Amino acid sequence: MATQLTLRMGDGGDDRPVGRFRAVIAYRGTEFSGVAENRDVRTVAGELRAVLEPVVKRPVELALAGRTDAGVHARAQVISFDAPADLDTARIVKSVNGRLGPDIVMRQLEAAPDPDFHARFSARWRRYRYTVNDGPCADPLAAGVQWWTKWPLDLDRMRLAVDPLIGEHDFSSFCRRPAGDLAVSLVRRVTEARWSRTDDGLLRFEIQANAFCQQMVRSIVGLSVEVGRGHISAGSVRSILLARDRARAGQMAPAHGLVLWQVGYDDGYGAV
Amino acid sequence: MATQLTLRMGDGGDDRPVGRFRAVIAYRGTEFSGVAENRDVRTVAGELRAVLEPVVKRPVELALAGRTDAGVHARAQVISFDAPADLDTARIVKSVNGRLGPDIVMRQLEAAPDPDFHARFSARWRRYRYTVNDGPCADPLAAGVQWWTKWPLDLDRMRLAVDPLIGEHDFSSFCRRPAGDLAVSLVRRVTEARWSRTDDGLLRFEIQANAFCQQMVRSIVGLSVEVGRGHISAGSVRSILLARDRARAGQMAPAHGLVLWQVGYDDGYGAV
């Protein structure tokens, strides 16, 4: 921390003390090429940094709790960054939201109580929600936030399908392995995985885990829907999990039905 | 009916018998310049007719239950039209929805049990819903379907504000009078008008009336929000209503928070 702090103070030509801040943000993923910064494309982190830097008047390096894929939404993503310690957080939120478009918003901002707080490394769990419309037609009012499958689905079968995923497992069958990296662990601990039918007749999937690997939720949803259609048996999910083979999980569900719902920290931050 | 039927049969160069059909449609109003056909702009009726005519293979004249303004959405708008009596409704729905974009959908289609059924003139009531977000920031996931007011609002005051509107009244203060037409009646019978707070913390307005005049719901919502902010008293709504003066109701709420929720008919059609 200390080294980084000194460097930063030099960078900005500014000797105000620097502190760690954390924020909860929400975004509609539709128009973004993912969350992480990436040259030449519009990303959530890129857009936020471009707005934050002139407001806090120094270079900002953002940490994000969850690396959501292109098109995935967030209700309560958590970010952290360093900025002048005397920042007026209420003013910054107002100023940032005034400059952001309608598809990102900063919901909260505060000085982190622990200077080592890190949006990603301090997080204890992440929770995602996926919404499926298995009714006879699409809902134009929910365009872009739910997946219309075109087939009715069997909730009971889908419930059974995801049961074997709870616990600590190697999710290689459900995850895209970072390019060429055979050493990276795809073991994750899933504490909840549940399909339900909402009062509006939609199918909702809620999943919580210590962390997720890439494409994991969309692969699980895609497989659940195959089970719900009757194309494969609920019992086959366990053997697909044990196979640790990416080719076994089948088609991923589309990104637009998925929302990063909440990120959990020891001190309860992130609950909005 | 008989004359119209004969004319239609001649028009199409087609001597198949014609029958009356009715349908429930939903649309996201954002990208439409209103519902009624209008040369050179994109309208719901224009788009539907352009898709229906090649599918039913004859000219179609659409009747609509509610003339929603530009930008207003519909969950269950009702339409009626004449088409060849032997239409395969399931096939037509599939074909129409396959040709419509993601912002309109045909939810139901059936032969009207009464050949005189008319989406507009047979309707007994219309029901609208308006959603207000009075929280500290906008919700990017609900962009385009709720009004973020930027101020917290007092539900109790808003409830009191709309009470005097229930019953049969001249709504001249809340309606745009059709150009130059001083004779047209703006008397409507409101059977329900109620503000509530949803489980998600949003403010919801539900209103049902035999019929609505133009801008009526948005004017009532705009006035309710002024009362909820504390800018005017709940009690002044009654005097504004009695004034029958369009200048008294103040700013209208934006179109994008409003949804035509349901249209009621004697035989229960329209409940989806």
Side-chain angles (χ1 to χ4, degrees), chain B residues 121-155:
Chain B
F121 300 121
S122 307
R124 292 297 176 193
W125 49 263
R126 284 87 175 160
R127 187 179 184 83
Y128 280 87
R129 183 182 275 192
Y130 197 103
T131 306
V132 167
N133 169 7
D134 71 333
C137 57
D139 178 358
L141 294 186
V145 294
Q146 59 181 224
W147 178 26
W148 174 50
T149 53
K150 303 184 188 176
W151 318 283
L153 301 172
D154 184 328
L155 173 62

Side-chain angles (χ1 to χ4, degrees), chain B residues 218-237:
Chain B
R218 292 165 60 197
S219 295
I220 293 172
V221 170
L223 189 63
S224 299
V225 164
E226 287 300 290
V227 172
R229 278 183 87 173
H231 281 191
I232 56 174
S233 73
S236 59
V237 175

Side-chain angles (χ1 to χ4, degrees), chain B residues 31-111:
Chain B
E31 304 298 332
F32 293 102
S33 302
V35 71
E37 284 203 62
N38 196 340
R39 202 178 274 278
D40 300 329
V41 295
R42 186 179 180 225
T43 68
V44 172
E47 185 127 328
L48 256 178
R49 194 168 60 80
V51 163
L52 264 173
E53 288 182 339
V55 168
V56 308
K57 298 189 174 63
R58 61 179 300 123
V60 166
E61 199 174 318
L62 288 179
L64 289 107
R67 288 175 68 95
T68 53
D69 292 340
V72 174
H73 315 294
R75 185 191 76 101
Q77 167 81 282
V78 175
I79 63 171
S80 57
F81 58 94
D82 289 338
D86 59 358
L87 218 61
D88 175 347
T89 53
R91 193 186 64 78
I92 297 292
V93 168
K94 207 170 165 181
S95 182
V96 163
N97 286 337
R99 290 160 190 237
L100 288 168
D103 44 10
I104 316 187
V105 74
M106 184 176 279
R107 301 183 61 176
Q108 296 187 346
L109 172 64
E110 64 176 36

